[in-house]
Amino acid sequence: MLAAPDPNRWEGRRDKAMIALAVQTGLRVSELTSLNCADVTLGAGAAVRCEGKGRKQRTVPLGSPVQCLLQPWMIERGGRPTDPLFPTRTGRRLSRNAVAQRLNTHTATAAKRCPSLRDKDIHPHALRHSCAMSLSQAGVDTSVIALWLGHAGVRSTDAYVHTDMSTKEKALALTTPLTAKPGRYRPTDKKLAFLDRL
């Protein structure tokens, strides 16, 4: 998806920065479209500030790959601190529908190189899920994921733990195989004598 936006077009550079920011931060589409230029801090302590559900403020740190996309975008974008970070060509805020339409366009482009995307419905909320799943697969505690995503409680985050097959596969690998005999291992006298000689 990140390779799909055309880097030779203004909209492509905007969309690439927007998608990367959405996937790394897990912002809701409403949070993403309401970002202003002043909400992003780059360099030491890089982060994005947003207002989530219930007017709750939160700050999410930014990794260097996202900073590398945002920095040139923000220079090209220009604008005052209160201007939208990801505007339309006329300078207005992108709507939720506009973001969804941009994702559909880029999904269709990406599907040419990645056929598994052909039948996928990639909506803006899927980017939020991608962020949550990568945090979960990295072993981040669900309470931290809840804070990261701006959830009111940890229960909303439990769904990511339940859908993460790699975590379940790791848990399965730690269990005793069905073919193992129950009980405790008792080495033979011959093996004990061999170990004594070491």
Side-chain angles (χ1 to χ4, degrees), residues 4 14 29-30 53 100 117 144 175 182 189:
R14 175 200 63 197
V29 68
S30 58
K53 284 185 177 178
L117 288 173
V144 175
T175 62
D189 290 338

Side-chain angles (χ1 to χ4, degrees), residues 133-142 145 164 167 170:
M133 288 304 293
S134 38
L135 290 169
S136 176
Q137 289 171 348
V140 176
D141 187 78
T142 54
I145 297 172
D164 185 5
T167 302
K170 287 177 190 170

Side-chain angles (χ1 to χ4, degrees), residues 5-16 73 76-78 85-92 94 102:
D6 183 352
N8 298 315
R9 300 188 65 217
W10 182 86
E11 290 92 344
R13 294 186 295 276
R14 175 200 63 197
D15 292 354
K16 186 169 187 160
W73 165 248
E76 179 179 3
R77 159 74 185 98
L85 180 63
F86 301 113
T88 64
R89 273 268 181 207
T90 58
R92 294 181 318 223
L94 285 171
R102 299 306 301 156

